[in-house]
C-alpha cells in the first residue's frame, strides 16, 4: 500500500522537532539529483516482504537495482546489498527464504527466553518525545547492548553474513547501509569507499541490541542502524525522488510502533527539500501474513507473496513517480497489466 497522505505528521512534528530542524538545516540548497530507494528494517519477515515488493515491481518492468542510491537499514541492508549486486527477482526472493544461520538447537534443548527489549523501547520512546538526543540514545543503548547476553556469539553472527555475502567486494557505488557506533552513539553510513568487507558492514547494520552483540569493525563496536531509526529515510535528502519501503508500519509490536513518528519526520524532511516521496507500507494482506501463526519459514513465505502482490499493484504509481525525475536511471516502463 502506498501512503498518499503521509502518516500523522502533526504528531511527529511535535515530538521530533529537533531532528526536523537539524536535518532541514543541512539539506543541500543546490540542484536535486537522482532517485533513491530506502529499505527499512523489520527482521526476516520484513526482509521477505521487501524482497517480494521489489520482485513485484520488477514483474511490471520497474528495475529498482538501477536506482542512484540504495540505502538499507538492518533487514533492508541485506535486501539492498542483494539488489545492488544485480540479483534477479527470483534470486532475491529465493535468498530471502534461505536460512543462513547455524543449525537450529536440538528439540530436546529448551530454547532460551526471548531477550527483554524494554530498555531499548524506553530509550526510543524518550527520543520520540524529545526528552533526549539521538546520540545520547546511541550511547545508552550501546552500553546496554555491550552488557547484554546475545542469543549468538559475535563470531557466529558475523559468520552468517559471510555466508550471505562471501565476496568482500561491494556491489556498486550506489549501495549504502546504516549502523550506529555503540561506543559514542554516532551515525555510521557504510559504502564502497569505507574500505571494510561487505559482510561485516551489513552484519553491523543488523546487530539488533539485546539480541546480538555489536559487531567490531577496525576495533570499534557498531550496532543496528535501527537504534537511530528503522528507516533512516532522511539520508536520501538531495535526491529528486525517494521510494521508501517500511515493513514495520502497521505492525503491532512496540519497536514497530515507535518507528512511525520517526518516519513521519524523515518524510517531511525529504519533501521539504523538494524530493518527491512514495512510502510503501504493508497493506492488510501483508499485515495478516506477518502475523501468520506456525513456522517462521511459512510466515516469511506468506509475507514475500503478499509483498510481491503489493509491488505489482503499486507499479503504476511508482513508474509515474520515477518518470518525473529527469535523467533517471531506474526503469519506469511498467506495463498496464495489473
Amino acid at each position: 500500500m502506498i501512503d498518499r497522505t503521509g502518516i500523522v505528521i502533526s504528531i511527529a512534528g511535535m515530538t521530533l522537532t529537533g531532528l526536523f530542524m537539524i536535518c532541514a538545516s543541512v539539506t543541500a540548497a543546490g540542484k536535486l539529483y537522482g532517485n533513491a530507494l530506502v529499505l527499512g528494517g523489520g527482521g526476516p519477515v520484513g526482509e521477505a516482504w521487501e524482497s517480494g515488493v521489489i520482485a513485484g515491481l520488477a514483474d511490471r518492468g520497474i528495475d529498482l537495482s538501477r536506482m542512484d542510491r540504495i540505502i538499507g537499514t538492518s533487514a533492508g541492508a541485506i535486501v539492498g546489498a542483494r539488489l545492488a549486486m544485480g540479483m534477479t527477482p527470483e534470486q532475491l526472493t529465493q535468498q530471502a527464504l534461505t536460512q543462513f544461520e547455524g543449525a537450529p538447537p536440538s528439540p530436546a534443548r529448551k530454547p532460551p527466553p526471548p531477550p527483554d527489549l524494554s530498555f531499548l523501547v524506553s530509550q526510543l520512546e524518550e527520543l520520540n518525545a524529545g526528552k533526549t538526543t539521538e546520540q545520547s540514545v546511541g550511547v545508552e543503548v550501546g552500553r546496554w547492548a555491550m552488557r547484554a547476553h546475545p542469543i549468538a556469539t559475535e563470531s557466529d553472527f558475523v559468520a552468517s553474513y559471510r555466508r550471505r555475502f562471501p565476496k568482500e567486494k561491494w556491489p556498486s557505488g550506489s549501495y549504502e547501509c546504516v549502523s550506529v557506533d555503540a561506543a559514542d552513539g554516532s551515525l555510521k553510513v557504510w559504502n564502497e569507499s569505507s574500505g571494510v568487507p561487505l559482510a561485516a558492514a551489513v552484519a553491523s547494520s543488523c546487530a539488533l541490541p539485546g539480541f546480538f552483540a555489536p559487531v567490531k569493525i577496525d576495533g570499534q563496536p557498531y550496532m543496528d542502524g535501527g537504534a537511530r531509526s528503522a528507516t533512516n529515510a532522511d539520508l536520501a535528502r538531495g535526491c529528486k525522488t525517494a521510494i521508501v519501503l517500511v515493513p514495520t508500519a502497521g505492525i503491532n509490536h512496540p519497536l514497530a510502533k515507535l518507528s512511525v513518528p520517526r518516519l513521519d519526520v524523515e518524510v517531511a524532511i525529504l519533501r521539504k527539500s523538494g524530493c518527491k516521496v512514495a512510502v510503501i507500507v504493508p497493506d492488510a494482506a501483508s499485515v495478516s501474513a506477518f502475523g501468520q501463526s506456525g513456522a517462521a519459514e511459512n510466515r516469511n513465505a506468506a509475507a514475500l507473496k503478499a509483498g510481491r502482490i503489493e509491488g505489482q499493484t503499486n507499479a503504476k504509481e511508482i513508474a509515474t513517480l520515477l518518470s518525473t525525475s529527469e535523467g533517471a536511471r531506474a526503469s519506469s516502463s511498467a506495463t498496464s497489466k495489473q
Side-chain angles (χ1 to χ4, degrees), residues 115-129 132 137 141 144 208-211 226-227 253-259:
D116 181 1
L117 300 181
S118 58
F119 180 77
L120 175 60
V121 169
S122 67
Q123 287 292 305
L124 293 176
E125 286 175 339
E126 290 195 4
L127 179 62
N128 280 6
T132 186
V137 167
V141 171
W144 170 72
L208 178 64
F211 271 82
H253 184 279
L255 285 178
K257 291 178 179 178
L258 285 169
S259 70

Side-chain angles (χ1 to χ4, degrees), residues 64-143:
L64 294 185
S65 70
R66 300 177 62 195
M67 299 294 275
D68 298 284
R69 294 181 67 191
I70 298 174
I71 304 167
T73 298
S74 199
I78 298 173
V79 177
R82 290 171 178 159
L83 182 65
M85 289 167 63
M87 285 191 179
T88 66
E90 297 314 314
Q91 289 172 328
L92 197 67
T93 55
Q94 182 182 27
Q95 289 279 295
L97 299 179
T98 300
Q99 180 177 320
F100 290 91
E101 290 73 19
S106 167
R109 182 181 173 185
K110 186 178 180 180
D116 181 1
L117 300 181
S118 58
F119 180 77
L120 175 60
V121 169
S122 67
Q123 287 292 305
L124 293 176
E125 286 175 339
E126 290 195 4
L127 179 62
N128 280 6
K131 296 179 180 179
T132 186
T133 67
E134 183 182 291
Q135 192 155 357
S136 294
V137 167
V139 169
E140 292 301 319
V141 171
R143 288 174 180 164

Side-chain angles (χ1 to χ4, degrees), residues 50 106 149 171 204 270 331:
E50 288 182 323
S106 167
H149 297 288
S204 73
L270 295 180
S331 170

Side-chain angles (χ1 to χ4, degrees), residues 39 47 51 72 74-87 91-92 95-96 98-101 157-172 175-177 196-206:
L39 298 164
E47 175 190 340
S51 300
S74 199
I78 298 173
V79 177
R82 290 171 178 159
L83 182 65
M85 289 167 63
M87 285 191 179
Q91 289 172 328
L92 197 67
Q95 289 279 295
T98 300
Q99 180 177 320
F100 290 91
E101 290 73 19
F157 178 67
V158 175
S160 72
Y161 285 83
R162 292 198 187 100
R163 289 191 285 273
R164 288 177 173 90
F165 305 107
K167 296 181 180 179
E168 292 194 4
K169 184 180 178 181
W170 281 64
S172 76
Y175 173 69
E176 307 163 36
C177 64
V196 303
L198 175 64
V202 177
S204 73
S205 184
C206 296

Side-chain angles (χ1 to χ4, degrees), residues 268-328:
I269 289 167
L270 295 180
R271 288 176 173 154
K272 185 176 177 66
S273 74
C275 180
K276 296 180 179 180
V277 185
V279 180
I280 303 180
V281 302
D283 60 14
S286 291
V287 171
S288 177
F290 278 39
Q292 181 174 304
S293 60
E297 54 266 29
N298 294 336
R299 181 172 63 251
N300 294 349
L304 190 150
K305 181 179 179 180
R308 192 160 195 162
I309 294 170
E310 272 202 75
Q312 295 167 352
T313 301
N314 292 315
K316 283 185 178 179
E317 292 186 58
I318 295 300
T320 299
L321 176 76
L322 293 176
S323 70
T324 65
S325 178
E326 294 178 4

Side-chain angles (χ1 to χ4, degrees), residues 1-7 264 267 271 277-281:
M1 177 175 67
I2 293 184
D3 169 45
R4 296 175 178 81
T5 61
I7 309 169
D264 285 346
V267 170
R271 288 176 173 154
V277 185
V279 180
I280 303 180
V281 302

